[in-house]
Amino acid sequence: MTTTNPTQSLADRAGVRSARLRPAGNTTRAARTRRKWYEIVGLTTPAVVVYTMFVLVPMGFAVYYSLYRWKGVGPPTEFVGWRNYLLAFEDPIFRDALWNNAIILVGSLVFQLPIALGIALLLNRRFRGRAFFRLLVFVPYVLAEVTVGIMWKLVLIRDGSVDAILKALGLGGLVQGWLSDLPLIIWTMLFILTWKYVGFAIILFLAGLSNIPDELTEAASIDGASWWQIQRHVTIPLLGPTIRIWMFLSMIGSLQVFDVLWVVAAPSVRSLGAANTMATYMVDNGFFARLWGYGNAVAVILFVISFVAALLFQRFVLRRDIQGALTGAK
Amino acid sequence: MARPRRIRAAMALIATTTLLLASACKSDEAPAEAELFKNPVTLTWWHNASDAGPGKDYWQKVANDFHGLHPTVTVEIEAIETNQLQRTRIPAALLSNDPPDIFQAWGGGEIIDQVKADYLKDITEATKTEVANIGSATGIWQVEGRQYGLPFRMGIEGFWYNKKLFTQAGITAPPTTLDELKTAVTKLKAANVIPISVGAGDKWPAAHYWYNFALRACSIATLKSAALTLKFDDPCFVKAGQDLQAFIGVQPFQPNFIATVAQQGAGSSAGLVATGKAAMELMGDWNLGVMQTLAGDNWKTMRPDIDWFPFPAIAGAPGDPKASLGGGDGFACSKKAPAECVEFLKYIVSPAVQKGYAEINVGLPVAKGAEAGVSDPTLRTILKATNEASYTQLWLDTAYGSTVGSAMNDAIIAIFAGTGKPDQVVSAMKAAAQK
């Protein structure tokens, strides 16, 4: 099992082919190297140009603008250094946003992992209608965020269907201001996000499970292990890399979450800090309060937090998985 | 091996940056001062009537008619959703070298900033007749005595109320003082009706209560100077918050009002009035159209019950009881727009075009001579009240600009949520002015 860098192997293969086409002895090592570099540059230039134009340059501009007191009228002229960053961390509503991001990040992992794992293990067994159920759990993930938001907003609104169902079941006492009771709203949001994204985790886990050789579980069962023991000691440990990759994606998604909260939560509860995140705070302040410099500072903070979180996770959690994938067995 | 790659990346970066700069610094050619209507010109027009309907159709008709009158002028319309238009599209277009020629202008703090950045065409000399015909409302589109835009719609706000529910609760006449309003609230509650619906979820409908209390608590001179200097040291601004807090204490609003939106669905604040569940809503002149849409087929039976009264006076308050809170929509021409732009703007606010605008029932006209176009009796009441108001204060969040306006609304919402205090509104406004 040799896995090498795809670009490298492609270039190697191209090098070999070009060597064959030319008369033997005419190709120097330098010419081959040059040829290889032409190909690397030719293949990567479009990606590099696009990445630079649409990722790196805007990022540079964001940092630049964040150092100015600028409302988007005329060019930025009033340099204020790190003031916008300080103002952000002094704003209790921004701290609420950070806290809400943390709740969503941890909550997503804590709730989605057991649910997704359980359903994935269940759907990994053979039974009638398995394909249908697999499709069913994936449906929420396929729906557009705004569609999901509007749907849940209609369902959870005062005297909406959730309230009606609870009352019909004689559970009227459980009726809450799902979208208006300030301390409750973030948990309503977490519920919607879990509902929406758990399907993604399930599909990833199912893909991971299908890569676990049957021989291992068969061997375990011949040795007398129960189904639970097999899951606990064989399947889940082998699913580790998939779970860790999912945790990584979930974490980054949680830090950047915007659309569901934007659609479901009223602007008022966002500005009260009950259902805002760094991303909604950025739009509320950058565009709606027309603080373009300040909004850019929030964007940079969001970027740095996501970037550092990603690096730390890769360094400490994903390291083994990545090493395995890149170095392989030589 | 890493080195060449880094160099290539750096080169790509330099290349793209140069490209960006080059496109941003396109030559700054001044438009040739051609004689009016001699050379063919194309005017780009950005307005916010983005939903299919009479408003959008009417602007298209106005553009076509103008082209018919002046065949050298072609008007290209782009209709954009209002928030997108105001928050991102217009600011970005004005920053670029290619802004639309004529576009939506909300007046107040925003137009002050735009004039400071030299984005707008000074139309003072060209529009003297129009300004005289429209009257004091044009002041919202003036900066330091110069005219930079003209309104096509203007109205004051007040309470939309249900006459039938008032009668059932034993209220004989619409309240004219705050105390009478509070008594009406008590009676309506006793009759098991939601006294007032408020779309606090959208923030601004709730903030308008504070604006009205400020209008009653502050002198007109104080309000005028606050809009210019963004200084809010006068104690009347704290008083406005205290009056609001006392009013919220009467519990006049629907349950869960903090998350209720203003205009979407039967559960919205306008929907509650339109379906007869709430007795009152404080809202601008556009609310009639909103309620009509929300009530759907039931509107025919609801419409006769709906009427309007202005925000009540407060006994002993220093503010002018005849002063009203209101706002409007206007258009402005960008600095480099051809002279035909101003002619088109003048055409939009001409009495004939304004009368046609009034007839489609999407807003109240501003030009004298267009009143006949307003056929709805309630809208006629509002138009009369708008014309008779001793002073019309522009919505404070527009008057103070987005930054202070936004912080002010957020702090007012905190009072509604029970977490904020009156003095915090003022401190939030002061802090935002420095942001």
Side-chain angles (χ1 to χ4, degrees):
Chain A
M1 186 177 142
T2 335
T3 324
T4 43
N5 187 326
T7 323
Q8 182 93 32
S9 67
L10 205 66
D12 279 348
R13 257 184 280 138
V16 170
R17 195 180 56 210
S18 66
R20 271 200 211 113
L21 287 173
R22 286 166 197 208
N26 210 3
T27 324
T28 61
R29 191 181 148 75
R32 274 210 311 276
T33 313
R34 210 182 314 132
R35 167 108 197 178
K36 193 173 81 183
W37 272 107
Y38 285 150
E39 278 161 351
I40 290 176
V41 169
L43 289 169
T44 52
T45 302
V48 169
V49 167
V50 168
Y51 189 77
T52 308
M53 263 173 74
F54 293 105
V55 179
L56 295 179
V57 171
M59 257 157 58
F61 272 120
V63 174
Y64 170 73
Y65 290 142
S66 73
L67 303 175
Y68 285 83
R69 179 172 181 249
W70 182 48
K71 297 192 180 174
V73 183
T77 48
E78 201 180 333
F79 184 81
V80 291
W82 301 105
R83 183 167 171 266
N84 286 331
Y85 293 86
L86 297 177
L87 283 175
F89 285 107
E90 280 169 11
D91 185 354
I93 303 299
F94 181 68
R95 293 201 298 265
D96 285 337
L98 283 171
W99 182 239
N100 288 332
N101 271 120
I103 290 178
I104 292 171
L105 194 156
V106 176
S108 294
L109 296 178
V110 168
F111 293 120
Q112 286 183 34
L113 183 61
I115 297 172
L117 205 55
I119 295 179
L121 290 176
L122 206 63
L123 289 178
N124 200 38
R125 310 180 89 172
R126 285 176 217 290
F127 61 92
R128 274 176 72 89
R130 184 172 74 156
F132 172 73
F133 283 107
R134 281 186 171 191
L135 187 72
L136 206 65
V137 295
F138 199 55
V139 164
Y141 181 70
V142 178
L143 289 176
E145 272 83 356
V146 174
T147 315
V148 168
I150 292 175
M151 187 188 85
W152 278 106
K153 193 175 179 172
L154 292 173
V155 168
L156 290 168
I157 207 164
R158 189 183 141 76
D159 296 330
S161 31
V162 166
D163 289 4
I165 290 169
L166 285 175
K167 280 176 190 163
L169 292 173
L171 299 169
L174 290 179
V175 169
Q176 302 284 332
W178 308 109
L179 301 174
S180 58
D181 181 2
L182 298 181
L184 179 69
I185 296 169
I186 190 66
W187 301 102
T188 309
M189 298 300 150
L190 186 59
F191 170 79
I192 299 172
L193 289 168
T194 305
W195 179 87
K196 169 98 176 77
Y197 290 108
V198 79
F200 177 64
I202 293 170
I203 286 289
L204 274 186
F205 294 169
L206 281 173
L209 287 171
S210 69
N211 276 337
I212 297 172
D214 286 342
E215 289 85 351
L216 295 175
T217 48
E218 276 166 19
S221 68
I222 288 168
D223 286 346
S226 71
W227 187 81
W228 284 109
Q229 283 172 322
I230 294 172
Q231 306 309 319
R232 168 68 190 84
H233 296 287
V234 179
T235 311
I236 293 179
L238 285 172
L239 200 57
T242 313
I243 295 178
R244 286 190 286 272
I245 280 287
W246 165 78
M247 286 172 80
F248 180 72
L249 295 173
S250 170
M251 200 177 73
I252 298 301
S254 300
L255 286 172
Q256 303 187 338
V257 65
F258 171 80
D259 21 35
V260 168
L261 285 94
W262 189 264
V263 175
V264 181
S268 58
V269 299
R270 280 206 311 271
S271 67
L272 288 165
N276 60 345
T277 59
M278 283 186 279
T280 66
Y281 181 88
M282 173 179 78
V283 175
D284 273 327
N285 283 277
F287 285 127
F288 285 80
R290 196 158 290 179
L291 293 163
W292 287 28
Y294 183 71
N296 273 298
V298 176
V300 172
I301 294 172
L302 171 57
F303 168 75
V304 169
I305 290 177
S306 304
F307 191 64
V308 169
L311 283 183
L312 289 178
F313 197 82
Q314 289 211 343
R315 174 74 183 78
F316 293 106
V317 184
L318 288 180
R319 186 174 50 168
R320 248 173 357 140
D321 304 333
I322 291 172
Q323 272 179 349
L326 291 183
T327 53
K330 285 253 160 140
Chain B
M1 236 163 101
R3 205 166 56 96
R5 198 182 301 162
R6 217 176 283 153
I7 290 171
R8 305 272 170 187
M11 274 168 64
L13 184 80
I14 291 164
T16 42
T17 315
T18 322
L19 199 75
L20 281 172
L21 287 175
S23 58
C25 307
K26 190 169 75 180
S27 68
D28 199 331
E29 61 203 61
E33 198 52 62
E35 279 177 79
L36 220 47
F37 304 126
K38 283 280 159 61
N39 296 321
V41 292
T42 301
L43 296 177
T44 47
W45 182 17
W46 287 8
H47 64 65
N48 71 351
S50 57
D51 291 334
K56 189 176 187 176
D57 296 344
Y58 188 67
W59 288 142
Q60 187 61 56
K61 180 185 174 308
V62 169
N64 295 347
D65 290 353
F66 192 72
H67 179 67
L69 287 171
H70 306 286
T72 54
V73 183
T74 312
V75 181
E76 275 181 9
I77 294 181
E78 200 173 331
I80 302 163
E81 188 276 324
T82 194
N83 265 318
Q84 207 189 356
L85 182 65
Q86 184 179 17
R87 311 291 176 192
T88 55
R89 293 293 302 275
I90 290 177
L94 288 172
L95 274 175
S96 81
N97 210 33
D98 190 24
D101 295 305
I102 175 166
F103 53 91
Q104 197 94 13
W106 285 265
E110 184 175 88
I111 209 163
I112 296 175
D113 284 345
Q114 289 173 346
V115 168
K116 270 188 204 154
D118 203 21
Y119 285 155
L120 303 183
K121 202 188 243 332
D122 184 338
I123 57 172
T124 315
E125 312 304 330
T127 59
K128 281 201 164 124
T129 324
E130 285 73 19
V131 168
N133 187 45
I134 294 168
S136 65
T138 53
I140 293 169
W141 286 265
Q142 276 167 15
V143 181
E144 290 170 359
R146 311 293 295 174
Q147 197 72 37
Y148 292 93
L150 289 177
F152 61 88
R153 186 195 78 73
M154 187 84 204
I156 61 167
E157 76 176 349
F159 282 96
W160 293 85
Y161 76 107
N162 187 316
K163 286 188 280 191
K164 203 162 124 193
L165 294 178
F166 265 45
T167 316
Q168 280 171 9
I171 306 161
T172 47
T176 54
T177 65
L178 187 64
D179 291 333
E180 284 177 24
L181 182 64
K182 286 179 180 170
T183 314
V185 166
T186 316
K187 285 182 178 170
L188 286 160
K189 275 204 276 193
N192 244 335
V193 169
I194 297 167
I196 305 177
S197 64
V198 60
D202 285 325
K203 301 198 271 192
W204 57 268
H208 280 207
Y209 279 89
W210 189 91
Y211 305 170
N212 274 293
F213 282 120
L215 188 63
R216 296 287 179 255
C218 302
S219 72
I220 290 170
T222 307
L223 290 170
K224 278 184 173 167
S225 94
L228 286 177
T229 59
L230 295 185
K231 291 202 163 67
F232 309 101
D233 293 319
D234 196 292
C236 70
F237 291 108
V238 179
K239 178 77 171 63
Q242 290 162 346
D243 287 349
L244 173 62
Q245 223 172 18
F247 187 67
I248 296 170
V250 187
Q251 299 187 333
F253 304 119
Q254 79 277 16
N256 295 9
F257 59 81
I258 201 72
T260 304
V261 294
Q263 299 175 341
Q264 287 122 34
S268 66
S269 57
L272 289 172
V273 180
T275 53
K277 288 192 180 124
M280 287 181 265
E281 187 189 13
L282 177 67
M283 197 44 76
D285 57 285
W286 59 81
N287 211 30
L288 193 67
V290 175
M291 287 192 291
Q292 183 174 355
T293 312
L294 291 174
D297 294 338
N298 296 326
W299 184 242
K300 268 200 182 122
T301 48
M302 280 304 297
R303 178 65 192 91
D305 298 336
I306 303 290
D307 207 349
W308 183 92
F309 65 88
F311 196 89
I314 300 175
D320 184 344
K322 291 289 277 177
S324 286
L325 195 72
D329 290 300
F331 292 118
C333 287
S334 59
K335 184 92 178 178
K336 286 183 196 162
E340 282 84 349
C341 181
V342 186
E343 297 305 309
F344 184 53
L345 182 53
K346 283 156 73 174
Y347 177 72
I348 292 173
V349 300
S350 65
V353 174
Q354 277 271 289
K355 184 162 173 284
Y357 178 75
E359 281 162 2
I360 60 167
N361 259 332
V362 295
L364 293 173
V366 290
K368 286 185 193 71
E371 296 87 346
V374 183
S375 53
D376 184 275
T378 312
L379 289 180
R380 289 191 83 97
T381 312
I382 301 176
L383 184 63
K384 190 162 167 279
T386 305
N387 292 336
E388 284 172 0
S390 58
Y391 170 71
T392 301
Q393 170 61 49
L394 175 65
W395 315 127
L396 295 183
D397 51 354
T398 311
Y400 301 158
S402 304
T403 306
V404 173
S406 186
M408 171 176 66
N409 289 0
D410 287 355
I412 296 169
I413 279 297
I415 294 187
F416 272 81
T419 55
K421 295 189 185 68
D423 58 309
Q424 285 169 342
V425 179
V426 178
S427 52
M429 290 161 77
K430 286 179 179 170
Q434 302 302 318
K435 256 190 181 176

